[in-house]
C-alpha cells in the first residue's frame, strides 16, 4: 500500500511539472491513471538477455586468456546455478556495470561465504494487489488497451478511421483526448500509381517468361532487372544455375531504342559479370577453418557490400532522379563493369586458388596470390584494384601476425591453427641440454619451403629465433612479458590505412618494399628494451665454464695439473692392481684441479674405461689411456657445446697426462747420475748415448707441453672475445664448434692427423722404454746398440713429425702447427 501511494505522489508531481494542469482539473485524474499504468507496464525498456549472456561469455573467455581459469570456472558454475526469473538479466546487467577489472582484484575465498537462502519470497496474491490499487474507478472496464497479439486486433476499427483527416481549430487537442485524430495528421498514404509501371512490367515478363517470341521492354525495365541480378536477387530475364551459379538469359528481349543484337550482347556481358560475382558470393558462404582465411572472407564481404551499395545508388538514380538522366542500358553496363572490375579480379584469384593442386599446396597460397596481384596493380597504377586487393591482403596478414606475436611473447606455438604455423614442437620432454636444438623446428612444406606466406619468408628465421629465445629465457626462470610492447606490436601491424597514407606521400615506393619495411618496423616493436637478452643471461655462465675447462683439461695452472698427475702416478706405482678406484681418483682430482678459480669441484668426475687387468706386462702409458676426466657443465651451456662429455678436452687432458708421465719417468735419472763415482770422468759409451737421448726427449716433452699451453691460451682468448660479440645461441654454437675444431687440429687430435699423433705416441713410449732400461745401463747390462736403436727411432719419428707438420701448415693448417713444426725442425737440423 505504501509503495502504491509513493508512486501516486511521484506521478502527480511529474504531471504537474510537465503539463502545468492543476490537480482539481477534470483531466488530471485521467492523465494520472494513464501514467501510473505506463509506469507499471514493464513490457518496454527491458535489458537484452542475449547481450548479457554474450558479455559474460566474453568475460569467461578473457579469464582463460589471462590464465585465471579458477575465476572463469567459478563464474560459469554460478551462472548455471542461478535461478532464471524475469529480472535475472537486469540483475546480471547491473553486476556487469559495477565490475571494474575483476581479474586484478579477485578473492576466491570470499565465494565460500555466500549462502543460498533456504526460503523463497512469497508470491503476491490478488488480494494484496487489489488492496494496493483498489478497482473502484467507474470507467475501469472502458479503458482497455489492446496488447501485443490481442484478440482485439481482429476487430474492425471504427468507421472514423476511414474519414478524411481534419485539422483541429482548438489551441490544443489534449483536452479532447483525440489521440487518433492527431495520429492521422502524421500518416502519409503511399501513392499506389508510382509502382504501377514496375508491376505492369513484371507481369508482362512473368506472362511471357516461357515464350520464344521477342519481347519488347523499356531500357529502364532491363536496367532494373540487370541490377537486381547483379545483387544476387531473382529476376525474370536472368536465371541461375544452382550447380555452378552461372547466370543465363531466359528471354529474348529487345527495346524500341536499340537493336536486339546490342541488347543481347549487353545482357551476355552483364550475365558474365553476375556469374563472377555469384562465384565470390558462393565462396563467401563456405566455412573456412583457418583464421587468416576468415579475415580474408570478412574483407571480401565488406568489398561486396560496398559494391552492392554502388548498384543501389545506380538504381536510385533512375528510381528517384535528382537530375535529368538519359536512360541508357549501355552506359549502365559500362558503369557496372568499372565498379565490378576489382571484384571480378578477386573472383579470378579465388578461382586460381581453388583450382591449385592439393598435394604440396601451401595453406597461404591465397595470400601469396593477393600479394602478387597487389604488387602488379600498384605498379600499373590501378588504384581501384589495388585498394580492394591490398585491403583484403592486409586483413588476412594482420590475422596471421597475431599468433606470431603470441609465439614471441610466450615462446609456445599456438594450439589453434597449429598445423599452419611455421614452428612445430617436436619434443616437449627433451633433455634440457638439447632444448634449443630439439624442442622446436621449422615446419616445412613438401617442396622444402617454410610453411609461411611468401612475404614473410625473409623474416621466418629471425622470428623463429626470437620465439625460441623467449622459451629458453622462461626455462632460465627469467620470464617477464612486456604488455606495453605487446600492445604496441598489435598497433604497429601493417594495415591499409597506414599503407595508403605512406603511398600518398611517396607514391613511387613499390608495394613490396613498403610492406617489407613495415614488417621490419613491426618486428622492432616486438623486442622489449627492458628485458635482459638471452645472450646476457647465458654469456656469464658460458665464460665461467670456458675458464673452468682451461684449468681442468688444458693445464692453465701447471702446478695443479702436476699435483694431480704426481698423485696419480704415485698411486699407479704403489698400487698397480687397485689404483683404478674411481672414487679415490675423483677425490684426488677434486682436491687438486677443483681448487682452481671458477671451478666447481663437485662437477669433476674421473672414470675408468674397461681394459685388461694384466698390469705387470702393460706399459704405464697404455694404462693411463683408461683414465677419463669429465666435468659436468650446466644445461644452458650444453645447448652451446652440444655435448656433455667434451671429447676434445678429454683427449687433450689425456695427452697432457701422457706428457707428464713421460717427464715423470725421466726425472729420477738425474739423481742416478750424481751417484756415480766422482773419479769416473769417462762414462761408458752406452750410458753416454742414453744421456744424450734423455736430454733430447726432455727437450721434446718441454716443446710439446709449451705448444699445448700456448695453443690453449691463444684459442681460449679468441673464443672469449668472439662469444662476447655473438648474437644468439646459434651464433655461440657456431663459434664453439669452430673453436673445438681448431683445438682438435692444433693439439693433433683430428682423425686426419692420426699418423703424426701415432709418431708422437711412439716417442712418448721411448721415454718409458729408456726409463725401464736405465738400471741395466748403469750396471752395463745393456749394449750400446740397443740405445743406438732407440736414438734412431727417435730421430726418425722426430723427422716424420716435423715434415708432417710442415706439410699440414702448407695445406692451410693452423699457424700453431707451423710454429711447432719449425721448432722441431731446428732440432732435426
Amino acid at each position: 500500500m505504501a509503495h502504491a501511494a509513493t508512486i501516486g505522489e511521484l506521478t502527480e508531481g511529474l504531471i504537474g511539472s510537465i503539463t502545468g494542469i492543476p490537480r482539481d482539473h477534470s483531466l488530471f485524474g485521467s492523465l494520472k491513471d494513464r501514467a501510473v499504468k505506463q509506469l507499471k507496464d514493464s513490457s518496454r525498456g527491458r535489458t537484452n538477455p542475449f547481450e548479457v549472456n554474450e558479455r559474460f561469455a566474453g568475460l569467461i573467455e578473457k579469464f582463460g586468456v589471462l590464465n585465471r581459469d579458477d575465476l572463469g570456472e567459478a563464474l560459469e558454475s554460478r551462472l548455471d546455478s542461478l535461478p532464471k526469473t524475469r529480472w535475472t538479466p537486469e540483475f546480471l546487467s547491473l553486476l556487469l556495470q559495477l565490475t571494474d577489472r575483476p581479474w586484478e582484484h579477485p578473492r576466491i575465498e570470499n565465494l565460500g561465504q555466500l549462502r543460498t537462502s533456504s526460503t523463497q519470497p512469497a508470491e503476491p496474491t490478488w488480494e494484496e494487489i487489489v488492496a494496493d490499487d483498489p478497482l473502484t474507478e467507474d470507467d475501469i472496464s472502458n479503458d482497455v488497451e489492446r496488447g501485443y497479439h490481442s484478440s482485439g486486433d481482429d476487430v474492425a476499427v471504427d468507421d472514423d478511421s476511414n474519414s478524411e483527416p481534419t485539422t483541429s481549430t482548438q489551441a490544443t487537442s489534449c483536452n479532447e483526448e483525440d489521440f487518433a485524430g492527431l495520429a492521422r495528421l502524421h500518416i502519409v498514404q503511399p501513392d499506389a500509381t508510382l509502382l504501377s509501371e514496375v508491376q505492369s512490367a513484371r507481369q508482362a515478363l512473368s506472362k511471357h517468361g516461357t515464350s520464344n517470341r521477342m519481347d519488347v521492354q523499356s531500357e529502364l525495365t532491363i536496367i532494373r532487372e540487370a541490377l537486381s541480378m547483379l545483387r544476387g536477387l531473382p529476376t525474370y530475364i536472368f536465371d541461375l544455375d544452382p550447380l555452378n551459379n552461372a547466370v543465363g538469359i531466359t528471354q529474348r528481349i529487345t527495346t524500341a531504342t536499340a537493336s536486339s543484337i546490342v541488347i543481347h550482347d549487353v545482357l551476355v556481358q552483364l550475365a558474365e559479370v553476375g556469374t563472377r560475382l555469384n562465384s565470390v558470393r558462393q565462396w563467401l558462404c563456405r566455412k573456412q577453418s583457418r583464421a587468416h582465411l576468415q579475415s580474408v572472407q570478412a574483407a571480401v564481404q565488406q568489398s561486396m557490400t560496398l559494391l552492392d551499395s554502388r548498384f543501389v545508388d545506380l538504381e536510385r538514380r533512375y528510381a528517384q532522379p535528382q537530375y535529368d538522366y538519359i536512360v541508357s542500358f549501355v552506359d549502365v553496363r559500362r558503369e557496372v563493369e568499372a565498379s565490378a572490375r576489382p571484384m571480378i579480379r578477386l573472383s579470378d584469384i579465388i578461382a586460381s586458388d581453388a583450382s591449385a593442386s592439393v598435394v604440396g599446396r601451401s595453406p597461404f597460397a591465397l595470400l601469396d596470390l593477393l600479394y602478387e596481384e597487389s604488387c602488379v596493380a600498384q605498379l600499373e597504377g590501378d588504384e581501384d584494384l589495388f585498394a580492394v586487393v591490398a585491403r583484403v591482403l592486409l586483413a588476412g596478414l594482420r590475422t596471421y601476425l597475431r599468433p606470431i606475436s603470441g609465439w614471441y611473447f610466450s615462446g609456445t606455438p599456438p594450439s589453434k591453427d597449429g598445423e599452419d604455423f611455421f614452428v612445430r614442437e617436436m619434443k616437449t620432454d627433451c633433455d634440457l641440454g638439447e632444448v634449443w636444438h630439439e624442442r622446436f623446428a621449422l615446419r616445412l612444406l613438401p617442396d622444402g619451403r617454410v610453411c609461411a606466406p611468401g612475404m614473410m619468408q625473409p623474416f621466418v628465421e629471425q622470428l623463429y629465433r626470437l620465439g625460441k629465445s623467449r622459451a629458453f629465457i622462461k626455462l632460465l626462470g627469467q620470464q617477464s612479458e612486456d604488455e606495453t610492447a605487446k600492445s604496441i606490436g598489435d598497433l604497429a601491424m601493417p594495415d591499409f590505412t597506414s599503407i595508403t597514407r605512406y603511398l600518398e606521400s611517396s607514391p613511387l615506393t613499390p608495394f613490396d618494399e613498403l610492406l617489407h619495411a613495415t614488417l621490419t618496423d613491426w618486428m622492432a616493436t616486438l623486442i622489449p628494451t627492458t628485458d635482459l637478452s638471452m645472450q646476457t643471461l647465458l654469456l656469464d655462465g658460458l665464460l665461467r665454464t670456458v675458464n673452468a675447462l682451461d684449468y681442468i683439461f688444458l693445464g692453465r695452472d701447471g702446478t695443479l695439473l702436476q699435483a694431480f698427475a704426481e698423485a696419480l702416478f704415485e698411486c699407479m706405482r704403489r698400487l698397480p692392481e687397485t689404483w683404478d678406484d674411481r672414487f679415490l681418483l675423483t677425490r684426488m682430482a677434486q682436491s687438486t684441479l677443483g681448487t682452481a678459480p671458477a671451478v666447481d669441484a663437485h662437477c669433476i668426475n674421473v672414470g675408468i674405461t674397461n681394459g685388461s687387468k694384466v698390469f705387470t706386462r702393460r706399459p704405464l702409458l697404455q694404462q693411463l689411456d683408461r683414465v677419463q676426466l669429465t666435468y659436468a657443465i650446466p644445461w644452458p651451456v650444453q645447448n652451446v657445446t652440444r655435448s656433455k662429455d667434451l671429447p676434445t678436452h678429454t683427449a687433450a687432458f689425456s695427452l697432457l697426462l701422457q706428457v707428464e708421465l713421460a717427464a715423470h719417468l725421466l726425472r729420477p735419472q738425474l739423481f742416478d747420475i750424481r751417484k756415480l763415482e766422482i773419479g769416473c770422468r769417462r762414462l761408458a759409451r752406452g750410458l753416454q748415448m742414453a744421456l744424450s737421448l734423455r736430454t733430447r726427449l726432455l727437450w721434446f716433452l718441454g716443446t710439446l707441453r709449451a705448444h699445448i699451453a700456448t695453443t690453449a691460451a691463444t684459442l681460449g682468448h679468441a673464443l672469449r672475445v668472439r662469444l662476447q660479440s655473438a648474437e644468439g645461441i646459434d651464433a655461440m654454437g657456431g663459434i664453439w664448434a669452430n673453436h673445438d675444431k681448431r683445438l682438435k687440429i692444433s693439439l693433433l687430435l683430428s682423425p686426419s692427423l692420426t699418423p703424426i699423433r701415432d709418431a708422437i705416441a711412439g716417442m712418448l713410449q721411448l721415454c718409458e722404454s729408456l726409463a725401464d732400461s736405465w738400471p741395466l745401463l748403469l750396471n752395463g747390462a745393456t749394449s750400446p746398440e740397443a740405445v743406438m736403436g732407440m736414438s734412431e727411432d727417435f730421430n726418425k719419428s722426430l723427422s716424420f713429425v716435423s715434415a708432417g707438420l710442415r706439410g699440414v701448415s702448407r695445406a692451410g693448417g693452423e699457424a700453431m702447427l707451423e710454429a711447432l713444426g719449425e721448432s722441431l725442425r731446428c732440432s732435426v737440423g
Side-chain angles (χ1 to χ4, degrees):
M1 193 67 182
H3 178 65
T6 302
I7 293 179
E9 293 178 0
L10 294 175
T11 305
E12 291 176 358
L14 182 63
I15 295 174
S17 62
I18 295 177
T19 62
I21 300 176
R23 296 189 179 185
D24 56 351
H25 195 278
S26 59
L27 187 59
F28 188 88
S30 177
L31 291 176
K32 177 184 176 182
D33 295 337
R34 289 176 178 271
V36 170
K37 290 181 179 181
Q38 290 294 332
L39 291 175
K40 292 182 178 180
D41 184 16
S42 60
S43 61
R44 302 175 185 175
R46 295 290 305 279
T47 301
N48 187 358
F50 301 100
E51 181 180 358
V52 173
N53 294 336
E54 290 179 358
R55 292 183 62 185
F56 271 98
L59 188 58
I60 293 173
E61 183 178 359
K62 189 166 187 176
F63 285 156
V65 172
L66 297 176
N67 199 18
R68 293 306 307 269
D69 294 333
D70 52 343
L71 292 178
E73 294 174 358
L75 178 59
E76 187 175 8
S77 62
R78 280 157 178 79
L79 287 175
D80 295 336
S81 61
L82 192 67
K84 302 298 186 295
T85 64
R86 61 179 300 183
W87 302 109
T88 300
E90 277 77 7
F91 298 154
L92 297 178
S93 177
L94 177 61
L95 292 177
L96 287 173
Q97 295 177 9
L98 293 177
T99 56
D100 182 18
R101 304 177 70 84
W103 53 87
E104 293 184 358
H105 312 287
R107 293 183 178 178
I108 300 298
E109 61 273 11
N110 294 342
L111 296 177
Q113 301 177 4
L114 299 178
R115 295 293 186 271
T116 304
S117 177
S118 58
T119 60
Q120 298 292 336
E123 297 182 356
T125 61
W126 278 109
E127 289 77 8
E128 295 176 355
I129 296 175
V130 173
D132 291 340
D133 190 8
L135 307 176
T136 58
E137 292 83 359
D138 297 335
D139 57 347
I140 187 171
S141 59
N142 298 329
D143 192 12
V144 178
E145 296 183 1
R146 296 185 179 91
Y148 186 69
H149 291 304
S150 175
S151 59
D153 294 339
D154 299 331
V155 182
V157 298
D158 193 4
D159 293 339
D160 292 340
S161 62
N162 299 326
S163 61
E164 293 295 330
T166 58
T167 303
S168 175
T169 57
Q170 296 182 1
T172 62
S173 301
C174 184
N175 295 333
E176 298 297 331
E177 301 183 14
D178 191 7
F179 298 107
L182 292 175
R184 284 195 294 270
L185 294 177
H186 301 280
I187 295 177
V188 178
Q189 296 291 337
D191 187 1
T193 60
L194 296 177
L195 299 177
S196 59
E197 296 182 2
V198 178
Q199 294 176 353
S200 61
R202 288 192 174 275
Q203 290 176 0
L205 291 174
S206 62
K207 180 179 180 181
H208 304 289
T210 57
S211 62
N212 294 325
R213 68 181 184 84
M214 187 69 69
D215 190 9
V216 180
Q217 293 290 338
S218 65
E219 290 194 33
L220 188 61
T221 301
I222 300 177
I223 291 174
R224 183 170 55 250
E225 289 287 303
L227 293 177
S228 298
M229 177 271 298
L230 292 174
R231 298 202 305 273
L233 301 176
T235 59
Y236 293 100
I237 298 179
F238 303 94
D239 64 344
L240 181 65
D241 188 354
L243 297 179
N244 54 9
N245 288 326
V247 178
I249 304 174
T250 59
Q251 298 187 23
R252 301 175 62 190
I253 302 297
T254 187
T255 63
T257 56
S259 65
S260 59
I261 298 177
V262 173
I263 295 298
H264 182 267
D265 290 343
V266 173
L267 289 177
V268 169
Q269 295 172 2
L270 290 175
E272 179 64 23
V273 175
T275 300
R276 299 290 188 86
L277 297 181
N278 285 337
S279 65
V280 177
R281 291 189 179 96
Q282 183 182 17
W283 180 77
L284 291 175
C285 295
R286 297 175 184 172
K287 184 178 180 180
Q288 301 292 340
S289 58
R290 298 184 173 96
H292 70 278
L293 292 182
Q294 295 174 1
S295 298
V296 169
Q297 271 190 330
V300 174
Q301 182 62 59
Q302 292 179 358
S303 300
M304 182 63 73
T305 303
L306 182 61
L307 179 61
D308 290 340
S309 65
R310 291 180 181 177
F311 291 156
V312 172
D313 294 337
L314 185 59
E315 187 174 4
R316 187 182 294 112
R317 175 193 302 177
Y318 299 102
Q320 298 178 353
Q322 301 295 330
Y323 306 97
D324 294 335
Y325 293 102
I326 297 176
V327 179
S328 174
F329 189 36
V330 177
D331 291 342
V332 171
R333 188 264 305 167
R334 184 177 63 253
E335 294 187 23
V336 165
E337 289 183 346
S339 301
R341 184 173 56 83
M343 195 58 62
I344 292 175
R345 183 57 189 148
L346 271 180
S347 68
D348 295 338
I349 295 174
I350 294 173
S352 300
D353 176 69
S355 61
S357 176
V358 179
V359 180
R361 180 172 176 267
S362 171
F364 308 101
L366 182 58
L367 289 182
D368 294 338
L369 293 174
L370 292 172
Y371 173 69
E372 294 175 0
E373 187 64 28
S374 300
C375 295
V376 173
Q378 195 252 354
L379 291 176
E380 292 179 349
D382 194 341
E383 297 181 357
D384 295 337
L385 178 60
F386 174 76
V388 174
V389 178
R391 188 186 300 274
V392 173
L393 167 67
L394 294 174
L397 181 60
R398 286 177 62 88
T399 303
Y400 171 77
L401 293 179
R402 287 193 180 93
I404 295 181
S405 300
W407 157 251
Y408 171 74
F409 285 102
S410 65
T412 305
S415 57
K416 187 177 182 181
D417 293 342
E419 295 298 328
D420 299 335
F421 199 63
F422 70 97
V423 177
R424 60 187 179 93
E425 191 169 9
M426 296 189 299
K427 296 181 180 179
T428 57
D429 56 348
C430 64
D431 186 61
L432 289 177
E434 295 291 337
V435 66
W436 177 265
H437 304 277
E438 295 186 358
R439 182 175 181 182
F440 300 106
L442 290 173
R443 189 184 304 276
L444 302 178
L445 297 174
D447 57 358
R449 293 182 296 118
V450 180
C451 184
M455 69 202 80
M456 295 298 301
Q457 294 292 335
F459 308 97
V460 165
E461 290 291 340
Q462 185 177 359
L463 290 171
Y464 177 55
R465 290 194 300 269
L466 287 174
K468 288 205 303 182
S469 300
R470 176 64 64 176
F472 199 85
I473 290 175
K474 288 170 61 177
L475 290 176
L476 290 174
Q478 300 291 333
Q479 180 180 5
S480 60
E481 295 187 4
D482 194 339
E483 294 294 338
T484 303
K486 186 175 182 180
S487 60
I488 294 176
D490 293 339
L491 295 176
M493 289 182 183
D495 59 349
F496 183 74
T497 303
S498 61
I499 295 291
T500 305
R501 189 183 301 113
Y502 187 87
L503 288 177
E504 290 177 355
S505 59
S506 301
L508 299 181
T509 304
F511 177 71
D512 54 346
E513 295 183 3
L514 177 58
L515 185 59
H516 187 277
T518 306
L519 291 173
T520 303
D521 296 339
W522 169 73
M523 288 182 58
T525 60
L526 293 180
I527 303 176
T529 58
T530 57
D531 283 358
L532 292 175
S533 63
M534 184 185 59
Q535 293 87 334
T536 305
L537 296 172
L538 185 60
L539 184 61
D540 184 48
L542 183 57
L543 293 179
R544 287 200 306 269
T545 302
V546 171
N547 292 332
L549 295 179
D550 288 347
Y551 279 104
I552 297 173
F553 293 97
L554 301 178
R556 184 173 179 179
D557 189 342
T559 58
L560 298 179
L561 176 63
Q562 187 174 6
F564 171 73
E566 292 293 339
L568 174 62
F569 301 154
E570 183 65 19
C571 187
M572 295 175 66
R573 184 184 65 82
R574 295 176 57 188
L575 305 172
E577 297 183 359
T578 60
W579 68 269
D580 55 345
D581 187 353
R582 297 180 180 180
F583 176 78
L584 177 61
L585 296 180
T586 301
R587 292 293 298 172
M588 290 169 50
Q590 291 178 354
S591 61
T592 54
L593 300 175
T595 60
V599 175
D600 187 358
H602 299 286
C603 296
I604 298 177
N605 181 52
V606 178
I608 302 297
T609 60
N610 295 327
S612 175
K613 291 297 182 178
V614 182
F615 299 104
T616 57
R617 298 181 180 178
R618 190 176 182 186
L620 292 178
L621 286 173
Q622 295 183 11
Q623 297 184 40
L624 200 61
D625 290 339
R626 301 177 58 214
V627 178
Q628 299 290 333
L629 180 67
T630 58
Y631 184 74
I633 60 178
W635 69 263
V637 180
Q638 293 179 23
N639 287 271
V640 177
T641 61
R642 299 300 305 275
S643 175
K644 297 180 180 180
D645 301 330
L646 302 177
T648 301
H649 287 75
T650 302
F653 180 75
S654 298
L655 179 59
L656 277 175
L657 278 184
Q658 291 175 359
V659 173
E660 289 294 332
L661 177 60
H664 174 78
L665 294 176
L666 294 179
R667 196 173 294 120
Q669 283 79 11
L670 178 62
F671 301 98
D672 294 336
I673 296 175
R674 292 178 179 178
K675 295 179 182 179
L676 295 176
E677 295 182 1
I678 300 177
C680 185
R681 298 180 180 179
R682 186 175 181 179
L683 299 177
R685 183 169 176 269
L687 190 57
Q688 291 179 359
M689 297 176 61
L691 288 176
S692 176
L693 178 60
R694 175 182 177 276
T695 302
R696 299 190 66 189
L697 286 173
L698 288 175
W699 166 84
F700 172 74
L701 295 177
T703 303
L704 187 58
R705 184 187 300 166
H707 167 72
I708 295 174
T710 305
T711 300
T714 303
L715 295 181
H717 175 72
L719 174 64
R720 294 178 184 87
V721 172
R722 297 186 63 187
L723 285 177
Q724 292 177 357
S725 60
E727 296 182 358
I729 294 183
D730 291 328
M732 292 180 178
I735 294 173
W736 176 268
N738 182 59
H739 167 75
D740 188 76
K741 179 180 178 182
R742 294 186 62 188
L743 186 65
K744 185 181 297 184
I745 295 175
S746 300
L747 299 184
L748 306 173
L749 303 175
S750 176
S752 60
L753 301 177
T754 301
I756 299 178
R757 188 173 64 252
D758 292 341
I760 293 176
M763 297 168 71
L764 296 178
Q765 190 63 42
L766 285 177
C767 297
E768 186 174 1
S769 299
L770 181 61
D772 292 340
S773 61
W774 185 257
L776 299 178
L777 288 171
L778 292 177
N779 297 328
T782 301
S783 62
E785 287 75 12
V787 179
M788 184 178 298
M790 289 189 289
S791 298
E792 292 177 355
D793 293 340
F794 174 77
N795 292 331
K796 291 180 181 179
S797 299
L798 185 61
S799 300
F800 175 78
V801 171
S802 177
L805 292 176
R806 291 199 305 272
V808 172
S809 63
R810 285 195 297 267
E814 290 291 337
M816 283 74 75
L817 291 181
E818 184 177 0
L820 178 61
E822 291 296 331
S823 299
L824 297 179
R825 189 180 68 170
C826 295
S827 176
V828 175

